Amino acid sequence: MKKGFVFDLDGVITDTAKFHYIAWKNLAKSLGILIDETFNETLKGISRMDSLDKILAYGKRENDFTLAEKKSLAQKKNDEYVTLLADLSEKDLLPGVHDFLVQAKERNIPCSIASASKNAPMILEKLGVLAYFGHIVDPETLKKGKPDPEIFIKAAESINVEPKDAVGFEDAQAGIDGIKAAGMYAVGISSTETLQGADLQVASMTELNVDQF
Ligand code: B16
Ligand code: MG
């Protein structure tokens, strides 16, 4: 039996990609850059500043802003994103997530969060599942983002579980790569994309139960 579960947030527990997309699209538009949903896919699991850098490079404007200006642009995007999350609630949990967390709690298996999102605590609170997690890794403390394994190793250690004894759940290829590099068992969650290297892939968490691990 595995001893701990490490969850990505966006795309696994809830799906706020559409809100990230609206906020990035509006910010990019204000800079004369047009992005579409296909481009938005490349931002999944990528940190806020790295996402901005990708957008600026896509619009060939990567040399047009100082670091202070970029921080202000990222803040502007986040302000709109947070406004769009105002109505987020338990109804926005992805299917199967709540049951899985309840089962893990019943079996005393600790859970933690490995998300690139600085908004993770607020989002989990709105979803009503904050109490199920022993720890949320603070992305500010990381030297490298996904696909580097750092965030997953920290998430496992934070709940006193060795990576080899932990299962990681991810919807993005960068996340699966990070979980495998950490030496963990990787569960890919996607109905649209084949996640390379995942030990198991399901379309949704309704297909999973704690005892299978
Ligand atoms: P924030 P995950 C990621 O969440 C999102 O997939 C990605 O699109 C976003 O840029 C990143 O969080 C940072 O989010 O701006 O809220 O700090 O999939 O790692 O849970
Ligand atoms: Mg994700």
Side-chain angles (χ1 to χ4, degrees), residues 65-121:
F65 302 95
T66 64
L67 182 59
E69 286 168 338
K70 287 205 290 186
K71 282 187 177 166
S72 153
L73 290 171
Q75 183 64 49
K76 197 172 150 198
K77 178 267 172 178
N78 193 58
D79 289 345
E80 180 170 14
Y81 174 65
V82 170
T83 304
L84 292 166
L85 296 180
D87 294 333
L88 203 72
S89 71
E90 281 165 35
K91 69 178 183 334
D92 298 298
L93 279 172
L94 285 171
V97 173
H98 190 261
D99 286 354
F100 193 93
L101 291 173
V102 169
Q103 266 188 38
K105 194 180 162 128
E106 283 168 0
R107 312 257 191 298
N108 289 317
I109 301 175
C111 298
S112 60
I113 294 283
S115 165
S117 176
K118 294 178 187 170
N119 294 299

Side-chain angles (χ1 to χ4, degrees), residues 3-203:
K3 295 177 181 157
F5 296 130
V6 172
F7 294 82
D8 174 45
L9 174 61
D10 198 11
V12 172
I13 290 178
T14 189
D15 191 3
T16 60
K18 56 184 177 295
F19 300 130
H20 280 297
Y21 176 52
I22 294 169
W24 278 130
K25 194 180 164 77
N26 288 339
L27 183 90
K29 199 174 164 198
S30 74
L31 305 173
I33 302 168
L34 292 182
I35 61 167
D36 59 14
E37 286 190 58
T38 308
F39 179 81
N40 190 55
E41 286 296 309
T42 69
L43 304 180
K44 283 193 176 171
I46 306 292
S47 76
R48 198 180 305 166
M49 281 305 269
D50 287 349
S51 298
L52 176 62
D53 284 338
K54 274 186 149 226
I55 290 168
L56 294 178
Y58 182 71
K60 302 203 168 33
R61 298 207 58 190
E62 63 268 48
N63 300 318
D64 293 359
F65 302 95
T66 64
L67 182 59
E69 286 168 338
K70 287 205 290 186
K71 282 187 177 166
S72 153
L73 290 171
Q75 183 64 49
K76 197 172 150 198
K77 178 267 172 178
N78 193 58
D79 289 345
E80 180 170 14
Y81 174 65
V82 170
T83 304
L84 292 166
L85 296 180
D87 294 333
L88 203 72
S89 71
E90 281 165 35
K91 69 178 183 334
D92 298 298
L93 279 172
L94 285 171
V97 173
H98 190 261
D99 286 354
F100 193 93
L101 291 173
V102 169
Q103 266 188 38
K105 194 180 162 128
E106 283 168 0
R107 312 257 191 298
N108 289 317
I109 301 175
C111 298
S112 60
I113 294 283
S115 165
S117 176
K118 294 178 187 170
N119 294 299
M122 177 267 284
I123 291 173
L124 291 166
E125 168 101 73
K126 279 178 165 288
L127 295 169
V129 293
L130 186 59
Y132 288 98
F133 298 96
H135 188 79
I136 300 167
V137 176
D138 177 359
E140 295 269 22
T141 64
L142 302 173
K143 291 187 192 74
K144 287 184 176 175
K146 299 169 190 179
D148 192 274
E150 184 183 10
I151 191 169
F152 296 104
I153 294 170
K154 279 195 166 157
E157 287 176 346
S158 74
I159 48 172
N160 300 312
V161 174
E162 284 186 50
K164 69 173 177 46
D165 294 325
V167 181
F169 300 88
E170 256 289 351
D171 68 310
Q173 187 63 52
I176 295 292
D177 294 344
I179 291 170
K180 289 315 296 173
M184 294 162 56
Y185 185 89
V187 179
I189 305 190
S190 177
S191 57
T192 53
E193 192 192 344
T194 301
L195 294 162
Q196 304 292 337
D199 296 297
L200 171 69
Q201 177 163 348
V202 291

